[in-house]
Amino acid sequence: MSLVFKRYYDMKPAEYLIQVRIAAAKQALQAGSSVFDAAANSSYTNYSSFYAHFRNLSGMPPAKYRQLFAQNISRAVMDTPIGPLRIVASQDAILCVEPANYLEKKAGQAIEQVPADRIIPNDPSGDLVKACMRELKEYFAGQRQRFDLPLSPEGTSFQQKVWQQLQQIPYGETRSYQQLAEMTGDKNASRAIGLANNCNPILILIPCHRVIGADGSLTGYAAGLAAKKLLLDLEKGGTKK
């Protein structure tokens, strides 16, 4: 039976079932369901398997797919001194600020076409995207040191803890990974801290660029080291005003 199935569909029955489940999950995410609800409604009991299958077939994690494709989410690309940034917001909070070409570089040809910009008229999500663009413009002009926007980065409880501590690093200052580990209450977790720092989905507003090596060297940054240096130089100059 499985050989006949493979002859007609060019895949095994189990592979076909995975595609059907992921297609159902995509529809649920587009309608605004949470990632966990989409997994459960697609008959997944193992979230790790759901995550792996979704990423393999879509070229992106389910949370990112929801951010880009959900009907009640606004998004826009903004030109900045560090390159174009994609801003994504729900009705309640900013979900993402990232390099606009990040997904394409990370997933290559496997990724689906990223949808065009869309700011939903008369919707809180559209208002938040526009507010974020305005505050980022003020930041790059040296006119803003703090952001007044609700944030909702999606991550593990440990990542959330790290991202909260990042927001405690003052404008114009830096911390090493070791110092950030001490801020989170675990001085031996600098490696895990570094990984969480690199997973930050909301650049600048959650200032992972303010974390540097113990010797003062710049370390990895999603927008590139030149962008990180530009941000730190901008803030250093801003504190002198």
Side-chain angles (χ1 to χ4, degrees), residues 87-144:
I87 302 166
V88 183
S90 67
Q91 295 182 336
D92 303 313
I94 301 297
L95 303 176
C96 176
V97 175
E98 67 179 3
N101 60 355
Y102 179 74
L103 288 173
E104 290 83 346
K105 287 184 176 180
K106 190 175 182 65
Q109 296 301 315
I111 192 170
E112 296 185 14
Q113 182 178 358
V114 175
D117 297 356
R118 178 188 66 183
I119 294 182
I120 304 173
N122 303 315
D123 188 271
S125 65
D127 292 340
L128 280 172
V129 168
K130 289 185 283 188
C132 186
M133 295 175 71
R134 182 176 63 252
E135 293 195 9
L136 281 171
K137 183 177 180 180
E138 294 169 352
Y139 168 83
F140 281 111
Q143 300 169 350
R144 175 176 290 275

Side-chain angles (χ1 to χ4, degrees), residues 54-198:
F54 196 101
R55 190 174 189 117
N56 287 339
L57 291 174
S58 304
M60 68 181 81
K64 174 56 64 177
Y65 185 92
R66 182 182 185 279
Q67 289 180 358
L68 291 176
F69 290 86
Q71 298 171 5
N72 61 346
I73 285 179
S74 289
R75 57 187 176 268
V77 172
M78 172 185 180
D79 288 327
T80 77
I82 64 171
L85 295 177
R86 177 182 291 115
I87 302 166
V88 183
S90 67
Q91 295 182 336
D92 303 313
I94 301 297
L95 303 176
C96 176
V97 175
E98 67 179 3
N101 60 355
Y102 179 74
L103 288 173
E104 290 83 346
K105 287 184 176 180
K106 190 175 182 65
Q109 296 301 315
I111 192 170
E112 296 185 14
Q113 182 178 358
V114 175
D117 297 356
R118 178 188 66 183
I119 294 182
I120 304 173
N122 303 315
D123 188 271
S125 65
D127 292 340
L128 280 172
V129 168
K130 289 185 283 188
C132 186
M133 295 175 71
R134 182 176 63 252
E135 293 195 9
L136 281 171
K137 183 177 180 180
E138 294 169 352
Y139 168 83
F140 281 111
Q143 300 169 350
R144 175 176 290 275
Q145 297 186 2
R146 295 181 63 87
F147 295 93
D148 301 317
L149 297 165
L151 308 180
S152 183
E154 185 155 351
T156 65
S157 57
F158 178 77
Q159 289 173 332
Q160 297 283 357
K161 184 177 181 181
V162 173
W163 299 336
Q164 289 173 6
Q165 292 302 320
L166 286 173
Q167 295 175 72
Q168 304 307 311
I169 304 175
Y171 180 97
E173 298 185 17
T174 58
R175 298 290 185 272
S176 69
Y177 289 101
Q178 181 62 47
Q179 289 174 316
L180 186 57
E182 292 172 356
M183 290 169 61
T184 62
D186 188 351
K187 63 181 181 180
N188 297 317
S190 57
R191 181 176 177 80
I193 293 290
L195 292 174
N197 191 65
N198 292 336

